[in-house]
PDB file of all heavy atoms in Angstrom:
ATOM      1  N   ASN A 104     117.308  84.011  88.672  1.00  0.00           N
ATOM      2  CA  ASN A 104     117.607  82.975  89.639  1.00  0.00           C
ATOM      3  C   ASN A 104     118.554  83.512  90.771  1.00  0.00           C
ATOM      4  O   ASN A 104     118.354  83.279  91.922  1.00  0.00           O
ATOM      5  CB  ASN A 104     118.175  81.744  89.006  1.00  0.00           C
ATOM      6  CG  ASN A 104     117.145  80.968  88.158  1.00  0.00           C
ATOM      7  OD1 ASN A 104     115.959  81.065  88.418  1.00  0.00           O
ATOM      8  ND2 ASN A 104     117.677  80.226  87.175  1.00  0.00           N
ATOM      9  N   GLY A 118     114.126  85.792 109.669  1.00  0.00           N
ATOM     10  CA  GLY A 118     112.852  85.347 110.146  1.00  0.00           C
ATOM     11  C   GLY A 118     111.694  86.087 109.465  1.00  0.00           C
ATOM     12  O   GLY A 118     110.566  86.105 109.955  1.00  0.00           O
ATOM     13  N   ASP A 225     123.136  95.275 100.588  1.00  0.00           N
ATOM     14  CA  ASP A 225     124.334  94.607 100.071  1.00  0.00           C
ATOM     15  C   ASP A 225     124.070  93.816  98.801  1.00  0.00           C
ATOM     16  O   ASP A 225     124.998  93.365  98.185  1.00  0.00           O
ATOM     17  CB  ASP A 225     124.943  93.725 101.155  1.00  0.00           C
ATOM     18  CG  ASP A 225     125.701  94.512 102.230  1.00  0.00           C
ATOM     19  OD1 ASP A 225     126.058  95.680 101.954  1.00  0.00           O
ATOM     20  OD2 ASP A 225     125.886  93.956 103.325  1.00  0.00           O
TER      21      ASP A 225
END
Side-chain angles (χ1 to χ4, degrees):
N104 290 334
D225 284 341

